[in-house]
């Protein structure tokens, strides 16, 4: 997290800490599902065939403490079928679900987040929070940090990408957040964590995006998997949960 | 003589019938039917020369060495002695018809023609026993010593109880070694009672009635068995055993007391010596069905279905419990209970007890807990608990029309199962609550 601040215990109780091909994040859905980015399991430009161990930790803001609480074994990994590991410039379908072997007991430091049900969560300028154990200004962190970012205008992000002469795919199943004028962003190690907004109508926190990709950190916009596009797939994978 | 082959029925006619019979003729027809039958004969046609005393032409009938009549003339005519519709009956199985004609049939110089006769005979059963009665009257030897039974074509003899038919088929000899009485009531007496009993008897009278019946004996007057003033029953004696146990030996003129055996088996042994002239004994036995004590419950929760005022052998009662209680026989739980009244007047099973149903410790609710809304720790019939979810992290899943309070209420039912009114045994579900951090991120600095 660039330009953010240290999270207090219970600020982001859905935050998961993953260690697969490096640090990553995730969010708790229900009491036995972890939502994360597919590329934390199948990184781009990586020859690994998904046989790395998947370690998932929950329930604390300290890396040391969260690991002391123990790894949560995974029963099943589900990668979205649109995800293409071999296309380094295409993060379409960058979403995955991890089913835990055992349900977790919820408490103040461990609670699930909700899923979006309409497009208003993606209105331009809507402020959201991104949290993670990823790097901050070239430093690795030992505590969970977060940053508050606005949902950016799609056209601005497209124009920004064109200005960078990049051919990265920015599809309708993604959205961008941040601002080139701000020194705030998510960064490496935050992937898989969620972009969370508070719904003032229901007073609930809703995960609207998954930290997916960006060009550098804090030099423009960050790109997120748009969860509203994948709610049906998530529900299908989770079944009656 | 003409012997007609033995048949059960047939006809006898005069020669040349229905043409005029010949003169100067005499023949005797012998009608025979099987043994055990009599011969009955009747004339259907009769047309013979009439004469005073049937001197010229006649038919003579005889049977059993007796002459049954001499007949002539015509049916319906006053002349001669026609037989009319008279039936002739033999005592034995044979009847003889003698037909006689003289040298001519003239009347006032005119030759007359007579057709003769047509008689029909049939075999009718001979009641040999009736014959025996007649024979007794006539002081002849009876066919049967005791009892005679007629049947069509014959008879047979039998003897009174205590006697046995001998090989000759009509004699009876005292034989009372194994007399069995199985009717629920009846009379038993010494042979020939109230006339003197025979000598040298070894009689055994067994009464065996159905299980569940008790036998009662009552001796009738006169009671008279040869006795001696100083020695107990030295000559003749009556021994009584109830269910194999001796009740006593009796003789003299004092009849035994009425006896309640409380069993379904009595044996009477009657021994006589070679002499004596006592009249013997007679008893009337009756039975009464055994009764069981009135069933009584051991607690206020036991119920007896259709309680009867009396219970006797083979009757039964069904016990059950009030709602919420279960039948216990010792430490064993019963699904039903039936007790049957036995032949000794006892119930085949002891009365059960009823124990209140216990639903056991309520199941723990994942991510939830429960409280007793009735007495804490008591989980018997009608106990009630309330399940809750660990809020605010979990919330109970309910149907649209139901509240968490309703969904979480469980009662210990009469079946011994915790049940919710709407969902039955199924436990409620505590679902995770999403998006409600207890300590959400806040920014104070502006």
């Amino acid at each position: 997290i660039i330009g953010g601040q240290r999270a207090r215990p219970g600020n982001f109780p859905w935050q998961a800490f993953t260690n697969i091909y490096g640090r990553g994040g995730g969010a708790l859905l229900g009491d036995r599902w972890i939502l994360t980015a597919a590329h934390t399991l199948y990184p781009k430009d990586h020859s690994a065939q998904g046989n790395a161990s998947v370690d998932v930790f929950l329930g604390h803001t300290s890396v040391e403490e969260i690991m002391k609480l123990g790894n949560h074994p995974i029963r099943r990994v589900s990668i979205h079928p649109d995800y293409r590991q071999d296309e380094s410039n295409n993060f379409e379908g960058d979403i995955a679900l991890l089913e835990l072997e055992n349900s977790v007991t919820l408490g103040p430091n461990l609670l699930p987040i909700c899923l979006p049900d309409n497009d208003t969560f993606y209105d331009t300028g809507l402020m959201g929070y991104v949290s993670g154990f990823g790097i901050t200004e070239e430093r690795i962190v030992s505590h969970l940090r977060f940053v508050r970012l606005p949902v950016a205008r799609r056209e601005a992000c497209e124009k920004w990408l064109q200005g960078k002469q990049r051919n990265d795919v920015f599809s309708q199943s993604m959205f961008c957040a941040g601002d080139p004028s701000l020194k705030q962003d998510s960064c490496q190690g935050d992937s898989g964590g969620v972009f969370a907004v508070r719904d003032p109508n229901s007073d609930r926190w809703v995960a609207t995006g998954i930290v997916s990709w960006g060009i550098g950190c804090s030099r423009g916009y960050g790109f997120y998997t748009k969860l509203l596009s994948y709610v049906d797939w998530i529900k299908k994978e989770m079944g009656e949960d | 003589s003409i012997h007609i082959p033995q048949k059960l029925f047939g006809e006898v006619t005069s020669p040349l019938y229905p043409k005029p019979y010949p003169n100067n003729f005499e023949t005797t027809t012998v009608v025979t039917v099987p043994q055990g039958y009599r011969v009955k004969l009747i004339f259907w046609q009769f047309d013979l020369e009439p004469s005073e005393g049937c001197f010229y032409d006649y038919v003579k009938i005889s049977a059993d060495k007796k002459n049954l009549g001499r007949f002539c003339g015509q049916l319906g005519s006053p002349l001669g002695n026609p037989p009319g519709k008279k039936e002739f009956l033999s005592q034995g199985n044979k009847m003889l018809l003698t037909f006689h004609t003289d040298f001519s049939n003239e009347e006032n110089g005119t030759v007359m023609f007579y057709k003769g006769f047509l008689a029909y005979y049939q075999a009718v059963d001979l009641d040999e026993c009736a014959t025996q009665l007649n024979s007794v009257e006539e002081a002849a030897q009876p066919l049967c010593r005791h009892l005679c039974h007629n049947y069509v074509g014959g008879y047979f003899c039998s003897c009174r109880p205590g006697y046995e038919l001998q090989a000759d088929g009509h004699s009876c000899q005292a034989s009372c070694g194994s007399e069995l009485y199985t009717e629920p009531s009846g009379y038993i007496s010494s042979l020939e009672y109230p006339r003197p009993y025979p000598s040298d008897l070894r009689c055994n009278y067994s009464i065996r009635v159905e299980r569940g019946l008790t036998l009662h004996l009552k001796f009738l007057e006169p009671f008279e068995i040869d006795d001696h003033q100083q020695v107990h029953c030295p000559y003749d004696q009556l021994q009584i055993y109830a269910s194999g146990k001796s009740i006593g030996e009796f003789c003299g003129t004092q009849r035994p007391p009425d006896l309640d055996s409380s069993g379904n088996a009595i044996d009477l042994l009657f021994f006589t010596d070679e002499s004596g002239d006592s009249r013997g004994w007679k008893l009337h036995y009756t039975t009464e069905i055994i009764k069981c004590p009135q069933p009584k419950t051991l607690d206020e929760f036991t119920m007896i279905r259709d309680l009867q005022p009396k219970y006797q052998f083979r009757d039964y009662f069904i016990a059950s419990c009030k709602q919420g209680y279960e039948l216990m026989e010792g430490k064993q739980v019963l699904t039903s209970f039936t007790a049957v009244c036995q032949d000794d007047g006892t119930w085949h099973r002891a009365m059960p007890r009823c124990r209140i149903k216990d639903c056991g410790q309520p199941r723990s609710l994942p991510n939830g807990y429960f409280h007793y809304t009735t007495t804490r720790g008591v989980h018997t019939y009608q106990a009630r608990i309330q399940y809750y979810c660990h809020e605010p992290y979990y919330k109970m899943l309910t149907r649209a029309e139901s509240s968490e309070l309703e969904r979480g209420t469980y009662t210990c039912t009469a079946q011994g199962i915790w049940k919710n009114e709407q969902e039955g045994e199924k436990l409620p579900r505590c679902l995770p609550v999403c998006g409600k951090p207890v300590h959400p991120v806040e920014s104070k600095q502006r």
Side-chain angles (χ1 to χ4, degrees):
Chain A
I1 297 293
I2 311 292
Q5 55 189 294
R6 187 165 159 168
R8 292 177 186 279
N11 285 167
F12 303 95
W14 48 82
Q15 180 71 49
F17 172 65
T18 67
N19 195 353
I20 306 166
Y21 289 96
R23 283 193 183 189
L28 184 66
L29 298 180
D31 58 0
R32 64 187 183 105
W33 293 89
I34 303 293
L35 178 71
T36 189
H39 81 261
T40 63
L41 295 147
Y42 293 93
K44 304 281 185 185
D45 304 324
H46 201 285
S47 58
Q49 296 302 307
N51 52 4
S53 67
V54 179
D55 292 339
V56 175
F57 303 93
L58 291 162
H60 213 282
T61 54
S62 158
V63 172
E64 188 180 341
E65 295 301 321
I66 204 170
M67 291 180 78
K68 279 185 188 170
L69 291 174
N71 174 38
H72 291 267
I74 302 299
R75 177 183 292 173
R76 187 165 71 92
V77 174
S78 184
I79 306 291
H80 194 277
D82 289 349
Y83 179 70
R84 297 287 176 265
Q85 187 187 12
D86 55 349
E87 294 178 16
S88 59
N89 296 323
N90 181 8
F91 280 81
E92 182 72 10
D94 190 13
I95 182 170
L97 282 168
L98 309 176
E99 186 186 4
L100 301 182
E101 191 69 49
N102 306 299
S103 298
V104 294
T105 302
L106 306 182
N109 297 323
L110 185 54
L111 285 171
I113 193 163
C114 306
L115 293 171
D117 58 3
N118 67 72
D119 220 31
T120 62
F121 292 109
Y122 301 94
D123 288 349
T124 301
L126 184 67
M127 298 301 290
Y129 288 82
V130 184
S131 54
F133 293 95
I135 59 169
T136 173
E137 287 99 18
E138 305 303 326
R139 280 181 184 275
I140 197 159
V141 299
S142 59
H143 277 82
L144 180 69
R145 297 181 72 81
F146 72 94
V147 67
R148 199 173 181 211
L149 297 172
V151 174
R153 197 160 57 89
R154 170 168 287 276
E155 293 75 18
C157 296
E158 285 169 349
K159 196 173 177 182
W160 180 77
L161 280 174
Q162 285 165 8
K164 296 274 180 194
Q165 296 182 330
R166 302 293 296 234
N167 59 350
D168 300 281
V169 175
F170 179 34
S171 75
Q172 292 298 318
S173 299
M174 302 171 190
F175 73 95
C176 55
D179 192 290
S181 65
L182 298 173
K183 290 286 181 189
Q184 292 177 319
D185 202 356
S186 54
C187 202
Q188 275 72 37
D190 295 326
S191 288
V194 291
F195 187 97
V197 298
R198 192 177 147 272
D199 179 3
N201 297 323
S202 63
D203 193 27
R204 287 177 187 269
W205 288 75
V206 178
T208 58
I210 300 172
V211 177
S212 183
W213 60 280
I215 298 164
C217 301
S218 77
R219 283 185 288 157
Y221 299 100
F223 294 84
Y224 299 82
T225 305
K226 187 179 180 182
L227 275 174
L228 185 64
S229 303
Y230 297 100
V231 168
D232 290 344
W233 176 78
I234 292 169
K235 287 182 175 174
K236 183 172 77 68
E237 290 298 308
M238 289 174 64
E240 67 168 11
D241 285 351
Chain B
S1 293
I2 300 167
H3 285 266
I4 297 176
Q6 200 177 73
K7 290 194 297 182
L8 286 172
F9 58 90
E11 288 178 353
V12 182
T13 60
S14 53
L16 305 177
Y17 182 86
K19 292 180 180 174
Y21 53 76
N23 293 327
N24 282 328
F25 185 83
E26 178 161 317
T27 182
T28 297
T29 305
V30 180
V31 176
T32 310
V33 292
Q35 282 291 342
Y37 291 89
R38 307 164 74 182
V39 181
K40 187 171 90 172
L41 183 135
I42 186 169
F43 286 96
W44 284 355
Q45 296 293 334
F46 198 86
D47 184 22
L48 262 67
E49 180 188 18
S51 59
E52 185 70 28
C54 297
F55 186 75
Y56 302 137
D57 298 348
Y58 61 83
V59 172
K60 188 176 81 179
I61 299 172
S62 57
D64 314 308
K65 297 178 183 172
K66 286 182 187 171
N67 185 3
L68 301 182
R70 182 164 163 161
F71 305 97
C72 61
Q74 290 148 323
L75 289 174
S77 167
L79 298 175
N81 182 27
K85 296 290 181 189
K86 186 176 179 181
E87 290 182 350
F88 299 92
L89 200 57
S90 69
Q91 290 299 318
N93 67 330
K94 192 182 286 184
M95 185 176 278
L96 283 69
L97 277 82
T98 301
F99 179 55
H100 172 89
T101 60
D102 64 358
F103 64 94
S104 71
N105 288 334
E106 286 183 11
E107 191 175 318
N108 300 327
T110 308
V111 176
M112 301 294 288
F113 296 99
Y114 299 101
K115 286 194 285 185
F117 67 87
L118 167 64
Y120 175 79
Y121 73 89
Q122 68 183 96
V124 294
D125 179 48
L126 169 64
D127 187 351
E128 292 87 350
C129 298
T131 309
Q132 172 175 321
L133 282 175
N134 295 335
S135 301
V136 169
E137 285 168 8
E138 293 165 11
Q141 182 72 17
L143 288 174
C144 296
R145 197 71 173 173
H146 282 179
L147 303 169
C148 178
H149 309 274
N150 175 63
Y151 61 86
V152 175
Y155 75 101
F156 68 94
C157 300
S158 68
C159 301
R160 291 196 295 273
Y163 290 87
E164 195 172 60
L165 188 68
Q166 297 301 292
D168 61 11
H170 69 270
S171 302
C172 292
Q173 189 173 340
S175 173
C176 47
S178 56
E179 297 290 310
L180 179 64
Y181 295 81
T182 56
E183 294 297 312
S185 66
Y187 289 90
I188 305 175
S189 62
S190 54
L191 295 177
E192 306 302 333
Y193 182 89
R195 288 183 289 145
Y197 48 77
S199 59
D200 294 320
L201 291 178
R202 294 287 180 272
C203 293
N204 182 354
Y205 303 93
S206 297
I207 310 172
R208 297 285 184 272
V209 291
E210 270 192 278
R211 285 191 309 124
L213 297 176
T214 51
L215 281 163
H216 303 283
L217 300 187
K218 184 180 179 63
F219 282 87
L220 309 178
E221 293 290 358
F223 182 88
E224 197 177 300
I225 298 175
D226 286 359
D227 194 11
H228 189 277
Q229 285 188 339
Q230 276 81 41
V231 183
H232 179 64
C233 305
Y235 310 122
D236 306 333
Q237 56 182 250
L238 176 65
Q239 299 175 2
I240 304 176
Y241 295 85
S243 299
K245 188 179 168 188
S246 174
I247 301 296
E249 294 176 359
F250 302 94
C251 58
T253 54
Q254 182 69 42
R255 64 189 169 102
D258 293 350
L259 171 69
D260 288 334
S261 73
S262 67
N264 66 329
I266 285 182
D267 294 289
L268 298 114
L269 305 179
F270 185 49
F271 303 115
T272 65
D273 64 3
E274 72 281 358
S275 64
D277 194 31
S278 296
R279 290 186 287 173
W281 51 269
K282 182 174 185 177
L283 63 84
H284 180 214
Y285 76 86
T286 54
T287 51
E288 192 182 348
I289 194 156
I290 278 179
K291 292 181 183 60
C292 275
Q294 197 69 3
K296 282 183 184 159
T297 58
L298 301 176
D299 52 58
E300 59 184 305
F301 311 111
T302 310
M303 300 185 296
I304 296 171
R305 192 186 297 173
D306 303 329
L307 187 66
Q308 295 173 209
K310 273 194 304 187
Y311 287 88
Q312 58 191 34
F313 176 55
R314 286 187 180 138
D315 280 351
Y316 64 90
F317 72 87
I318 295 171
S320 58
C321 293
K322 287 183 179 172
Q323 178 160 301
Y325 292 80
E326 59 191 347
L327 284 164
M328 297 295 298
E329 192 171 56
K331 289 182 178 176
Q332 193 177 353
V333 178
L334 304 175
T335 51
S336 63
F337 178 90
T338 304
V340 182
C341 181
Q342 302 180 120
D343 59 5
D344 62 353
T346 61
W347 293 105
H348 95 287
R349 292 172 91 174
M351 180 68 75
R353 286 183 179 277
C354 283
R355 183 179 70 177
I356 193 164
K357 283 267 191 179
D358 192 334
C359 289
Q361 184 75 11
R363 283 189 287 166
S364 59
L365 178 66
N367 302 311
Y369 56 100
F370 67 86
H371 283 154
Y372 285 93
T373 52
T374 50
T375 309
R376 183 186 167 90
V378 173
H379 28 73
T380 51
Y381 174 56
Q382 286 183 328
R384 198 175 299 117
I385 56 168
Q386 182 72 46
Y387 280 107
Y388 301 95
C389 290
H390 284 302
E391 291 186 341
Y393 318 120
Y394 295 92
K395 188 166 176 60
M396 192 176 288
L397 178 65
T398 57
R399 292 183 192 276
E401 70 278 9
S402 172
S403 68
E404 286 181 31
L405 196 68
E406 289 169 334
R407 181 63 190 93
T409 300
Y410 282 70
T411 306
C412 179
T413 62
Q415 292 75 42
I417 300 164
W418 290 105
K419 271 189 178 175
N420 174 259
E421 257 184 32
Q422 297 157 350
E423 303 288 343
E425 291 179 66
K426 193 177 164 191
L427 280 184
R429 284 187 69 191
C430 291
L431 297 183
V433 174
C434 73
K436 286 275 190 181
V438 182
H439 307 293
V441 65
E442 283 179 359
S443 302
K444 286 183 183 172
Q445 188 170 254
R446 297 189 177 177

